Amino acid sequence: MGIGVFILRRALVALPTLLLISLLVFTVIQLQPGGFLENMLEDPRVSRETVEHIRRQYLLDQPAWVQYLHWLRGILQGDFGFSFLNGRPVSELIWERLGWTVFLAALTLWVTWLIAIPLGIYTALNRYSPTSTALNFVGYFGLATPDFLLALLLIYLVLASGGTNVGGLFSPQYIDAPWSWAKFKDLLAHLWIPLVVIGLDGTANIMRQMRANLLDALSQDYIRTARAKGLAERVVLWKHAVRNAINPLISLAGLQLPTLISSTIIASIVLSLPTIGPFLYDALLNKDQYVVMALLMLSALLLMVGNLLADILLAWVDPRIRYE
Amino acid sequence: MNRQLWFAICLLVAGLAWAQPKTLPAYTNLGVSTGKAGGSLTLALASAPQTFFYYGAIDAAIQNLANQMFDGLIEYNLANYQIEPALATRWSISENRIYTFELRRNVRWHDGRPFTADDVVFTYTQIVANPEARGGDAANFEGVRVEKLGDFRVRFTLPKPAPAFIHYMRLPIMPKHKLLPFSQEGGKPRAEINTAWPTNVNPEEVVGTGPFRLRSYTPGQQVTLVKNPNYWKRDAAGNPLPYLDQVQYLIIPDSQARVAQFLAGNLGQINITGAEFPDLKRRETQGGPFRVVQFRALFGSPPHIGFNYNAKNPELARLFSNSEFRRALQFAVNRERIIEDVYNGLAERASYGVAPISEWFYPEVVRLQGRYDLNAANAALDRLGLARGPDGIRRLPSGRPLEFTLTYGSNSAVFSAIATILQNDFQRVGVKVNLQGILAANLLATGRGSDWEAILLALGDQPDPELRTPIWKPGGALYYWHQATQPTTPGGPPQFNNFLPWEREIYDLWERAASTTNFTQRKALYDRWQAIAAREAQVIMIAKEYAVGAVSNRYGNYIYSLGVIPGYNPLVLLFQR
């Protein structure tokens, strides 16, 4: 089967899945108590009538299924709905925040892999060395510590050592400034905290996976055979063991794509990062339903695209795998 | 002839007087001195603005920003909250319901266009009274006629006297020349006004008369305002205001992150809570380059315990609507401990809807609310026939244990701590409380529903009780603890047959208070109301938190501001040393 047919088939399977997810998400949002309009009433300026007008304007007085179909029809026309909170199309609002979100997530993903894979190989090869033990400890620590706690800890450390870069991506004077060498340095001075906070968890995870996979591969018969026929250890390790050990990690990478949106919510709030995370959080709190729908659907879509990419990559890396 | 000449001269002199900018009082009691022009300040916003149009959303961020970009007809004195002229220089009230305002002359919008009566009429008729403007106030302007009597003269005619009406005149005035295309007058549907000035608007379009104008917005990160060089206010020495050249707002959702940014020197000033006070105060005394300052607040929301008079469990409903029961539990509310432990001493006893520093506050309320006294609580509960079972929990007449759910905001450190203290103390008088934590943002929605028994909720204080009628007048839209009094149809009459006798009394007091503008009469009526509310323990008021702020030593003339209150803006006086 060719790759084109494979992608097409996967896309056809994805459609009903997405539809099902959208229905589920919509139901969950409807079940949430309180709501966007109820919260408005505490303000002395807002009257019942105003709320009723808005309710009608956004079809919130209609039964849930009418709202759902209306939303679905919009999607087919490329309209992802309107944010109640911001009074602007959802797609515009997401677009505004997508740049930094993708930048941060991609950079973190890249740095994570760059660090985790070699460390995983090192700890597998030197199983009982003190360095490995120390690295494993850091790994466990990274897995066990919630990222917001780590963020607060780092902020505290920076403050205690007299630093001033304790959140955001830039110092206030550089936020609106045009790009310059100084602004770039300022970005680097801020960037390491989010990188560590968001990346540590993943690094530890991948490092441990890589270590386990490699240990597993090294104990296989084909490695013994390779050694027995006199291949250089370097070739045995890199060509036979590592290449086999890395396969499961590629599938794992596919699952990481949706974390672009969801995994950094709390860290982004604590670190005041201009990503989609806090935006989604606000939308959830205020029951800004079309924003929530759009973001959760985007997340689901990314998961599917990620899986698809991982499968294609896997087939490319490992000639034994075929599109079936 | 001579007479006419004299008249003309008088008019000319008066005209010159009007053309002059407003000179602020010296405010020496607030520690204000003459500042220095220049410099910039960085503040924090807890959320990104949803719009740049004040009336387009109920949004704390735009309320904060609008205070700097726009002005109302009146404003509050920064020291005593008395009403003072702003865009209106003076006004007269006749027949208790006709308000005539003289407008300030030579005020210019940020784009240089003159401010006139057209803008005022436009703002109130097309925006404030527009029932579809999200942040409008149509209910309070129903039947109000707004007329232009001249380029600098406006008349509001009310259908009936509304004594607190003058407070609504602090709403920000918007530029007709920019917003006409979004209005009904400009040929658009009424809801279209909400789409004015979205967050991706060209900043040049957002013009106000305020001390600062919008320069830029970087989504999710920062809003920058720059000085309006033509602002109409002067300091007591006659220097132009504001002093600062620029005000930046960083968007920082997390309160701990705000404190960290302040300690790092990236923020010039922050508002903090009593819980954050000890740490910052300690750093200050250890030589931190900032001051931590506390003020008694007029605005702000003191928490109370509301009991559902219409609880689903009929036995609980009978108890909750019985003043004897609520009074008994009030004896078990340890306000002193809450003030000490939860607020770190930075709070005081509270009244209903009006702050203790308000002129409307009735001091007897504190005595009527009583003190913490478990023996008195036990005795009162015994008198109700609620005998204790073998497990120490009292029994309802049906024999079931006396227990109820207390709903509170679990994401608020203050609410969680108060809820736990209440649970412990109620347990000691044989009343079992089950805590149910929900998002603080959903508390009011839950209270307005029927699925709750007791709730810890905070509703805001205002400078005039009249402004909080929907909360405190039985049958009002926010009179959530006794929903059987509310009208069956929106706008209909309350269900008087479900009123308790003292609720009827309060209702009548509010009716009378709303029909006169005489301060002494209104004060007496509202005193009486507060006395009844306290005597009947209508809800159990807990405490009113002080306003606490921290300001970097780089700045002078700091006066606390909640930030979101139109008409109260001390930022114009702040300067960088």
Side-chain angles (χ1 to χ4, degrees), chain A residues 32-36 38-51 53-54 57-58 82-88 92-93 96-97 100 152 155-156 159 163-173 175-176 190 268-274 278 281-282 285-286, chain B residues 42 47-50 54-55 57-58 63 131-140 142 171 190-191 194 198-200 216-222 224 248 250-254 256-257 260-261 263-264 266 283 439 441-442 444-445 448 458-460 462 467-468 477-478 490:
Chain A
Q32 192 190 347
F36 167 69
E38 287 299 323
N39 294 346
M40 289 180 72
L41 279 167
E42 209 267 334
D43 195 289
R45 290 189 284 161
V46 179
S47 65
R48 264 260 156 243
E49 296 77 52
T50 311
V51 168
H53 278 297
I54 298 169
Q57 187 189 342
Y58 288 121
F82 216 66
S83 160
F84 300 158
L85 276 186
N86 296 278
R88 285 173 60 192
E92 258 181 50
L93 288 158
E96 266 177 10
R97 289 160 177 81
W100 283 117
L152 291 176
I155 287 176
Y156 178 79
L159 271 182
T164 59
N165 303 325
V166 290
L169 288 177
F170 297 102
S171 303
Q173 69 268 29
I175 292 177
D176 291 331
H190 284 81
S268 292
I269 290 172
V270 175
L271 293 170
S272 335
L273 302 175
Y281 178 75
D282 265 358
L285 282 191
N286 292 299
Chain B
T42 309
S47 60
Q50 296 162 9
Y54 175 85
Y55 298 100
I58 299 290
Q63 287 169 9
E132 303 204 25
R134 292 244 204 117
D137 197 354
N140 284 308
E142 216 175 311
L171 292 176
R190 287 194 299 195
N194 295 312
T199 44
N200 56 347
S216 65
Y217 169 52
T218 311
Q221 297 192 68
Q222 161 175 278
T224 307
Q248 277 172 294
L250 295 186
I251 295 156
I252 309 177
D254 182 63
Q256 299 196 52
Q261 290 279 26
L263 291 174
N266 294 330
R283 288 171 187 267
L439 280 177
N442 289 336
L444 185 69
R448 291 166 56 85
L459 297 170
Q462 288 281 330
L467 299 172
R468 306 263 59 185
L478 294 178

